[in-house]
Amino acid sequence: MDLRQMEIAVAVAEEGGFTAAAQRLRTVQSTVSTTVRALERDLGTPLFERTTHRVALTPAGEAFLPAARAALRAADEARATVDLSRWRLRGEATIGTMPGLGSRLHRALAGLRRHHPGIDVRVRQAPAGELCQAIRESTVDLAIAVLDKRQRYGLVTRLLADEDMVLVTSPAASPPQPGPVTLGEAAGLSLVDFPPGWAIRESVDHAFRAALLDRAVTVEVDDLTAAAELVRHGLGGCVLPESIAAWFPDLVVRRFAEHAPNWRVQLARPGGDVSPVVAAVLRGLG
């Protein structure tokens, strides 16, 4: 027994006949008759008394009709809830993000605005440690950040990106056939980098510390395009996630021979249940 069978049976009862029910449902009379017979076989009892001039409910049909109507109403309400939820869902959510990760948000926020226009999303930038504390204090609902094990403690996290980082240099300052580079070689170059607290800076610092290497940061800038422009004019190399390096196809990309800095971006939220608004934002972020 399914909803379509119940809908047809209710139409026959309310219209008083198979032909009238077919007209109401915009189908043919034979489909209505066949469907009702299949429903009666499934239930093991007739629902209608059929005569030449009229169709009437049997006692079983009288009992079936209110339950079928209730089931159809419940199905309609379920459909309406799903269809209208994106319009009914209203509220605010605050997303925390480390500097340098805002580029991951624009498509997700645009999609969220289309699907849930009633949700007001605010974005707050801060270093990873501050974001984790803000989640615990409930001043930020969720965060996108590069987090170490200590920072993740007590939070629910989900990996958004996991890729190697590469060294980008200007064509003029690169060897004719540039091959892989070591961290030691990169440490000896003039490097363009980002301020402490930036997601890229945290990942690069971690890689050089792990290799027990110091490096010379020639320039710190707080803009990816500005960093690429400095590299383009030969003022230094820059270590970037491979996906971000692809934004600047005119720069030379050199992979690391071993121990490449790793770019792991995570989505973090508090443990336990979250509100419907925050759940919608989480789905939107992928």
Side-chain angles (χ1 to χ4, degrees):
M1 179 171 53
D2 57 34
L3 290 174
R4 181 59 175 169
Q5 289 175 323
M6 287 189 281
E7 181 185 27
I8 289 175
V10 169
V12 171
E14 292 178 347
E15 298 298 330
F18 291 87
T19 301
Q23 292 173 347
R24 167 173 151 180
L25 298 172
R26 297 184 180 181
T27 187
V28 295
Q29 187 268 339
S30 60
T31 297
V32 173
S33 298
T34 300
T35 301
V36 170
R37 284 197 297 271
L39 177 60
E40 289 175 328
R41 284 197 301 272
D42 188 29
L43 294 172
T45 185
L47 298 176
F48 299 97
E49 292 178 351
R50 301 160 176 84
T51 66
T52 305
H53 303 291
R54 59 188 287 272
V55 172
L57 286 166
T58 63
E62 293 281 0
F64 175 81
L65 187 60
R69 284 174 172 151
L72 292 172
R73 283 196 300 272
D76 286 342
E77 290 172 1
R79 291 191 192 98
T81 299
V82 171
D83 188 48
L84 296 176
S85 62
R86 67 192 187 104
W87 300 103
R88 292 176 177 168
L89 198 57
R90 295 185 175 275
E92 295 181 355
T94 300
I95 300 175
T97 180
M98 291 179 72
L101 290 178
S103 59
R104 299 191 58 87
L105 285 176
H106 65 278
R107 288 192 180 89
L109 293 182
L112 190 67
R113 174 67 61 85
R114 287 194 302 272
H115 290 95
H116 296 288
I119 296 180
D120 180 21
V121 177
R122 300 177 181 181
V123 179
R124 170 182 167 185
Q125 282 196 341
E130 290 184 25
L131 293 177
C132 293
Q133 186 61 27
I135 292 175
R136 296 184 179 98
E137 294 173 353
S138 300
T139 56
V140 163
D141 295 298
L142 51 96
I144 298 174
V146 174
L147 304 174
D148 60 30
K149 184 176 181 180
R150 175 182 55 82
Q151 291 166 332
R152 295 196 304 268
Y153 180 77
L155 301 179
V156 176
T157 60
R158 185 171 82 223
L159 193 63
L160 293 179
D162 185 3
E163 60 182 281
D164 285 343
M165 303 181 82
V166 296
L167 176 70
V168 295
T169 56
S170 73
S174 302
Q177 293 182 324
V181 63
T182 67
L183 277 177
E185 290 170 336
L189 300 175
S190 297
L191 293 178
V192 177
D193 213 326
F194 306 93
W198 265 60
I200 294 173
R201 176 68 177 263
E202 293 293 314
S203 297
V204 176
D205 281 350
H206 175 77
F208 278 91
R209 282 197 304 268
L212 303 177
L213 292 171
D214 294 324
R215 59 197 177 103
V217 177
T218 307
V219 185
E220 287 183 2
V221 292
D222 60 357
D223 180 81
L224 289 166
T225 302
E229 195 67 18
L230 290 166
V231 172
R232 189 173 288 117
H233 286 83
L235 297 177
C238 185
V239 181
L240 294 172
E242 189 171 4
S243 59
I244 294 178
W247 297 358
F248 312 106
D250 61 311
L251 300 181
V252 175
V253 172
R254 301 185 66 184
R255 299 181 183 279
F256 286 93
E258 58 183 359
H259 308 302
N262 187 239
W263 175 247
R264 288 175 61 86
V265 180
Q266 293 171 313
L267 178 64
R269 66 171 180 84
D273 295 333
V274 296
S275 71
V277 168
V278 173
V281 175
L282 285 168
R283 290 192 298 271
L285 292 173

